[in-house]
Amino acid sequence: MRDNRCSGAYLKYMYFRNTKLRVTTAPQRNCSLRNYSSPPGDVKSLQSVINPHISRIRNIGIMAHIDAGKTTTTERMLYYSGYIRTLGDVDDGDTVTDFMAQERERGITIQSAAVTFDWKDYRINLIDTPGHVDFTVEVERCLRVLDGAVAVFDASAGVEAQTLTVWRQADKHQIPRICFLNKMDKNRASFTYAVESIKQKLKTKPLLLQLPIGEAKTFRGLVDVVTKEQIIWKPTSDLDDGKNFERKLLLETDDPNLFQEVQDARNTLIEQVADLDDEFAELVLGENSENFDLIPADKLQSAIRRITLAQKAVPVLCGSALKNKGVQPLLDAITLYLPAPNERSYEFLQWYKDDLCALAFKVLHDKCRGPLVFVRVYSGSLKPQSAVYNINKSCTERMSRLLLPFADQQIEIPSLMPGNIALTVGLKQSATGDTIVSSKASAIAAARRAGRDAGEKKRSVSGVDSLLLAGVEIPEPVFFCTIEPPSMARQQDLDNALSCLQREDPSLKVKPDPDTGQTILCGMGELHIEIIHDRIKREYGIETYLGPLQIAYRETILNAAQAKDILDKTVGDKRHCVTAEVEVRPRSGKGATTKPIIIYADNVSEVLPKELQGAIENGITNSCIQGPLLGFPVQDIDVTVQSLTVHPDTSHTMVSACVSRCMQKALKKAGIQILEPLMNLEITVSEDHLSAALADLAQRRGNIQEIQSRQDNRVVVAAVPLAEMMGYSTVLRSLTSGSATFTLELASYQALSSQEQSALLQRRMGLIIKINFNRRHVTSFMIHCGLRFPTASRARIIFWSPML
Ligand SMILES: Nc1nc2c(ncn2[C@@H]2O[C@H](COP(=O)(O)OP(=O)(O)OP(=O)(O)O)[C@@H](O)[C@H]2O)c(=O)[nH]1
């Protein structure tokens, strides 16, 4: 029976043979306490539980389009490995990895969850990642520290929009992968269709290691193409949990058609592998050239492993996680074909030798223990009660404890060796993407080695910069809205809550509105902002008010322009005097970057000290954060600093201020064009509802690019301005009786037409009106109109609105 206690902090004890480990649970999470049993009986000692040999570790992620079955597959893995005694279900909201209240209520994964378990003689550190496009950053930061991944597909849908995104992310981090065609039990599930779509859309070479026995309702098992064994799941009398299956050689007499199919599939696999692996090709061309049946399964498996690690092809398996079929062979394949941490090559490891080098990749906030920082150790070891040095923050921090993660529960451990992932307690400064080493001296020594290396290779790597493990690029948010506490007295609490949430979620941006002083929340999508709002209420007990969701437009310039500015100010007894002259030009080519490219005229660069250059660049960058027309970031501009004269006593702050003012003048002169986010939209809709969906798209300035067939459904691929997509899910649901699904992803920024631009300007600027309100009226007025109010001065409000 499942224990559903929720509440404050508690401790329980886990026994590894005779050693008792303390297990703690994050207190603030609304969780159902799961029944974790002790690890499998063949674990020899505590040491082998905590830090298995590196070759026996698999750090893997589960990634896919939304609803492909990642969490269901993960839950089965935990069950078969013995870490949970009862199977949870996404639809019942009781899986181990979806432990946040919002995840359980909505049946979707929002944050990645790490679990550690053993399968046969291997330690698997697994991260279940979200599939919704609003949480793509969450996927990427996990991929950054993983050595391999399982891409899960809905076998009735093949490759879907978000699969492409996560596949590209895995390509970027060069992660070897296995494909798992899930939902083989579903109506319209098709192994052939899914494989074909992997070939076509992911442009990869699938290696079919299994064939399904039956499809949709008749799906009952698999054939292992490598060993020619059939695997059939047999329900026991009262429990069909998938633990009971039979593996035996497939004989021609069992099923002559299937036998022939498997024979052909094995021959094709051998030819494919021989094409991609020279060592195996020699074997095939030598003594076994006449009869492929004689090629030993282990030789074929080793070659498939080499090919997978080199990312020349991807093994494909299939099953139905929900119907408890195919997960144990998937676990075997993870240990067989995905790399151990020491099989991945990282250039930086040679600079650290045996010193500690770790990457912080995720932060969780625990109300009692403070920030819990997830780290992956690449070299050296981590020990509790020790000091570590954060290279990004240039600070030394003390780590008090080390914990192994089991979703929302953790086990305290005495050390962490290379290749492993764990949680640290006590690191207050470290954030996602920070590189952690043992001491400042160790960082300097590694920087020296890296510098020597760079010199030998004639590359320019500047000292400590080369030591930073690449973090994760955080895309600019596309939505924003104001957020208000219920009363001024709770503003500080709200600020604290937001800063904790920001550390957990680097894609969440919080900034003050320079006009009104209000807090602005910027996020990756409607769902993202909704979840943050909900978390503030549940986890921090603050009922906040959100302004209407607005689009994060961009600004750019139409022409080149020059401007000159003189700043002459005396502060105290010091005279600060700067004269700056800049030219701005639109950048050709599509970059969509808000970072201006800065060039110096020869007469400036010749005499420019480094600190002064920093001040100039600060001024230029700051002026691009808020464009001159509507205050949106300015993108795609080149800047030339044509001249600069600075009085000897002038502070760098004054230089920045003067350059920034000069830039604002130049930008205004150059003429501003507003750019709006253009989204890639993919709608999967039945033939019956296709015309309704297309007619609606036409009214949303949608540009339909392609209509594809996906089994019995149609997939509409279109580009639509984000401004037209507010509340689209409700409209699409009513148009298609809830049968259609869609994904939306930022494609680019496009220029607004002059009419659209002036309509936007009117909407946003309107009239300047002064009103006197008391506090209660302000709040209710704000909810109804969603206008922009200054938090600081409640009584006298100045805002812009065309409505009044
Ligand atoms: N028919 C069928 N349904 C499945 C299977 N696996 C999962 N499902 C269902 O698909 C839905 C989504 O499952 P999840 O495991 O939450 O999928 P997910 O990929 O983790 O979803 P997100 O994390 O929200 O992207 C649930 O209703 C599951 O019950 C399967 O093998 N067959």
Side-chain angles (χ1 to χ4, degrees):
M1 207 175 79
R2 198 161 289 139
D3 185 348
N4 279 328
R5 266 179 295 154
C6 298
S7 67
Y10 60 85
L11 297 175
K12 74 177 187 155
Y13 291 90
M14 238 182 185
Y15 290 85
F16 288 112
R17 286 274 156 120
N18 296 323
T19 313
K20 188 163 75 175
L21 291 174
R22 199 167 66 158
V23 182
T24 55
T25 298
Q28 85 277 27
R29 308 280 182 202
N30 176 14
C31 56
S32 319
L33 173 59
R34 296 302 305 258
N35 232 342
Y36 296 99
S37 64
S38 49
D42 56 355
V43 174
K44 292 287 180 293
S45 67
L46 175 64
Q47 191 55 31
S48 72
V49 172
I50 304 307
N51 287 302
H53 189 269
I54 192 162
S55 63
R56 298 266 155 193
I57 300 173
R58 298 290 179 271
N59 294 316
I60 60 151
I62 302 266
M63 56 179 211
H65 184 82
I66 191 159
D67 274 359
K70 298 176 289 293
T71 306
T72 309
T73 308
T74 306
E75 187 78 7
R76 269 60 186 169
M77 288 178 172
L78 293 175
Y79 181 68
Y80 299 134
S81 67
Y83 275 87
I84 50 173
R85 294 197 189 109
T86 47
L87 269 178
D89 195 316
V90 174
D91 303 318
D92 296 339
D94 61 356
T95 57
V96 172
T97 48
D98 280 356
F99 56 82
M100 259 170 83
Q102 291 91 335
E103 293 178 319
R104 294 186 163 197
E105 280 166 16
R106 292 164 192 256
I108 58 163
T109 305
I110 291 166
Q111 60 173 13
S112 53
V115 279
T116 295
F117 60 92
D118 289 343
W119 178 249
K120 298 186 176 166
D121 279 340
Y122 290 84
R123 161 63 45 84
I124 299 182
N125 295 316
L126 179 144
I127 301 185
D128 177 20
T129 64
H132 195 283
V133 68
D134 283 13
F135 309 109
T136 305
V137 171
E138 186 75 11
V139 182
E140 177 135 5
R141 60 181 172 163
C142 295
L143 285 176
R144 174 66 190 81
V145 292
L146 294 171
D147 301 313
V150 175
V152 179
F153 299 76
D154 175 340
S156 69
V159 173
E160 298 174 88
Q162 187 63 7
T163 325
L164 279 166
T165 308
V166 292
W167 196 267
R168 274 196 300 266
Q169 287 174 322
D171 278 344
K172 182 169 144 196
H173 295 285
Q174 298 177 358
I175 308 277
R177 273 146 274 181
I178 288 177
C179 294
F180 180 61
L181 307 184
N182 189 32
K183 304 200 182 182
M184 283 302 301
D185 63 295
K186 211 175 147 183
N187 245 347
R188 297 199 296 266
S190 164
F191 184 77
T192 321
Y193 170 79
V195 170
E196 202 47 41
S197 96
I198 290 176
K199 257 193 230 164
Q200 300 299 330
K201 295 194 178 163
L202 302 179
K203 307 271 180 275
T204 187
K205 293 192 180 101
L207 302 176
L208 307 189
L209 305 193
Q210 291 174 345
L211 291 186
I213 305 179
E215 261 173 8
K217 279 196 181 125
T218 61
F219 176 68
R220 57 185 201 286
L222 318 159
V223 185
D224 183 330
V225 174
V226 177
T227 60
K228 293 210 279 186
E229 287 170 323
Q230 54 178 329
I231 308 167
I232 308 278
W233 275 264
K234 302 234 153 119
T236 50
S237 49
D238 55 343
L239 191 66
D240 186 8
D241 64 355
K243 274 193 174 169
N244 196 14
F245 63 90
E246 189 180 55
R247 197 182 242 277
K248 61 172 191 185
L249 202 64
L250 177 72
L251 302 173
E252 195 164 5
T253 47
D254 294 333
D255 183 338
N257 290 341
L258 183 63
F259 183 82
Q260 192 52 49
E261 241 184 272
V262 174
Q263 190 75 12
D264 294 346
R266 191 169 192 270
N267 290 347
T268 311
L269 178 67
I270 288 171
E271 281 164 13
Q272 268 182 305
V273 173
D275 266 355
L276 298 168
D277 185 79
D278 292 347
E279 194 179 324
F280 187 71
E282 269 178 39
L283 184 83
V284 171
L285 295 174
E287 55 200 89
N288 297 316
S289 61
E290 297 300 317
N291 188 355
F292 284 178
D293 280 349
L294 299 177
I295 295 174
D298 62 333
K299 297 276 184 214
L300 182 53
Q301 281 164 342
S302 307
I304 294 170
R305 179 179 176 73
R306 286 193 295 272
I307 290 171
T308 312
L309 263 53
Q311 294 155 66
K312 292 180 186 166
V314 196
V316 175
L317 295 95
C318 64
S320 162
L322 190 68
K323 301 287 176 194
N324 308 321
K325 294 183 177 70
V327 177
Q328 297 95 329
L330 175 63
L331 280 164
D332 289 339
I334 289 169
T335 60
L336 261 178
Y337 303 121
L338 291 179
N342 56 345
E343 288 171 298
R344 304 264 291 148
S345 66
Y346 298 106
E347 190 191 22
F348 58 83
L349 283 184
Q350 54 181 319
W351 306 329
Y352 288 97
K353 307 218 162 176
D354 291 331
D355 269 1
L356 170 71
C357 174
L359 180 74
F361 67 96
K362 185 175 163 75
V363 180
L364 281 180
H365 263 275
D366 182 306
K367 279 195 182 144
C368 299
R369 292 173 289 183
L372 303 177
V373 181
F374 279 83
V375 292
R376 148 95 196 236
V377 176
Y378 287 90
S379 65
S381 64
L382 262 179
K383 291 213 164 52
Q385 302 298 342
S386 61
V388 289
Y389 182 71
N390 180 325
I391 300 186
N392 301 66
K393 304 275 168 9
S394 308
C395 69
T396 300
E397 293 202 84
R398 194 159 184 81
M399 186 188 37
S400 56
R401 291 157 69 196
L402 268 176
L403 308 166
L404 266 194
F406 289 84
D408 59 339
Q409 304 202 9
Q410 297 100 27
I411 295 179
E412 194 160 349
I413 52 169
S415 68
L416 193 69
M417 305 305 278
N420 264 309
I421 286 173
L423 275 157
T424 58
V425 185
L427 300 182
K428 301 243 166 359
Q429 309 285 326
S430 299
T432 300
D434 287 358
T435 304
I436 290 165
V437 298
S438 55
S439 64
K440 191 170 182 179
S442 149
I444 293 169
R448 213 174 293 129
R449 282 180 216 123
R452 259 204 315 266
D453 239 26
E456 278 161 25
K457 290 182 190 162
K458 301 217 173 344
R459 278 192 288 122
S460 76
V461 180
S462 69
V464 162
D465 282 355
S466 62
L467 299 181
L468 300 179
L469 307 184
V472 170
E473 282 167 39
I474 310 294
E476 287 292 323
V478 286
F479 277 116
F480 69 94
C481 65
T482 54
I483 181 163
E484 291 275 331
S487 65
M488 288 299 287
R490 303 227 54 196
Q491 181 69 47
Q492 188 56 46
D493 293 341
L494 175 62
D495 291 346
N496 291 343
L498 286 172
S499 81
C500 290
L501 287 169
Q502 258 191 297
R503 258 188 99 192
E504 282 192 21
D505 176 0
S507 62
L508 172 72
K509 302 254 161 69
V510 179
K511 58 183 186 185
D513 184 317
D515 299 331
T516 64
Q518 280 179 291
T519 306
I520 309 263
L521 206 59
C522 310
M524 307 309 294
E526 287 181 88
L527 180 64
H528 187 201
I529 292 202
E530 201 182 310
I531 297 287
I532 294 294
H533 184 214
D534 196 33
R535 286 189 67 185
I536 294 172
K537 184 174 163 194
R538 289 181 198 233
E539 292 172 25
Y540 298 89
I542 310 170
E543 184 85 56
T544 53
Y545 303 108
L546 293 188
L549 218 49
Q550 300 184 53
I551 308 291
Y553 291 93
R554 295 262 178 101
E555 300 184 17
T556 192
I557 53 173
L558 292 165
N559 309 299
Q562 290 183 8
K564 186 175 178 179
D565 200 84
I566 300 169
L567 180 146
D568 194 344
K569 246 191 186 147
T570 304
V571 181
D573 56 354
K574 261 194 186 172
R575 183 171 169 222
H576 302 266
C577 184
V578 194
T579 309
E581 205 175 344
V582 296
E583 184 195 41
V584 292
R585 289 177 309 282
R587 186 175 317 149
S588 48
K590 290 207 166 81
T593 163
T594 47
K595 212 165 178 248
I597 291 185
I598 304 167
I599 309 166
Y600 294 90
D602 287 348
N603 58 330
V604 181
S605 60
E606 274 163 18
V607 287
L608 200 61
K610 216 168 174 204
E611 301 75 47
L612 193 56
Q613 186 177 338
I616 296 170
E617 288 175 10
N618 246 344
I620 295 176
T621 317
N622 286 344
S623 65
C624 292
I625 293 172
Q626 285 207 309
L629 198 54
L630 286 176
F632 291 115
V634 180
Q635 77 171 40
D636 294 339
I637 62 161
D638 290 345
V639 182
T640 305
V641 181
Q642 290 178 318
S643 70
L644 186 85
T645 36
V646 182
H647 188 275
D649 277 345
T650 306
S651 75
H652 287 151
T653 317
M654 292 295 177
V655 174
S656 289
C658 177
V659 172
S660 181
R661 221 166 58 180
C662 186
M663 275 291 294
Q664 288 288 332
K665 275 189 193 172
L667 291 172
K668 272 186 198 154
K669 266 196 197 169
I672 294 291
Q673 167 71 59
I674 302 282
L675 305 171
E676 65 174 341
L678 185 70
M679 310 302 283
N680 280 334
L681 170 70
E682 197 180 293
I683 315 169
T684 307
V685 60
S686 65
E687 187 74 53
D688 302 348
H689 296 112
L690 178 66
S691 48
L694 291 179
D696 175 66
L697 267 187
Q699 289 173 11
R700 295 175 185 272
R701 293 191 282 142
N703 175 12
I704 295 155
Q705 292 164 343
E706 208 183 344
I707 302 177
Q708 307 163 349
S709 294
R710 180 177 290 160
Q711 307 277 58
D712 293 347
N713 282 331
R714 295 305 207 94
V715 178
V716 181
V717 181
V720 193
L722 181 60
E724 305 290 341
M725 296 304 288
M726 298 287 204
Y728 184 62
S729 52
T730 317
V731 176
L732 189 69
R733 206 177 304 129
S734 77
L735 282 177
T736 63
S737 314
S739 64
T741 57
F742 77 98
T743 54
L744 206 58
E745 191 185 14
L746 179 66
S748 59
Y749 285 83
Q750 72 172 5
L752 284 180
S753 68
S754 52
Q755 293 99 312
E756 286 160 357
Q757 181 157 325
S758 40
L760 177 69
L761 284 174
Q762 257 181 27
R763 267 203 314 276
R764 293 192 60 93
M765 301 188 76
L767 305 165
I768 296 179
I769 298 197
K770 294 183 181 178
I771 326 175
N772 289 309
F773 274 118
N774 67 26
R775 172 76 251 133
R776 269 187 55 221
H777 288 141
V778 166
T779 308
S780 53
F781 194 80
M782 181 181 79
I783 296 163
H784 282 105
C785 306
L787 298 173
R788 299 158 24 125
F789 297 95
T791 318
S793 61
R794 293 285 185 184
R796 190 162 161 270
I797 297 165
I798 303 171
F799 66 95
W800 292 281
S801 166
M803 289 185 233
L804 295 167

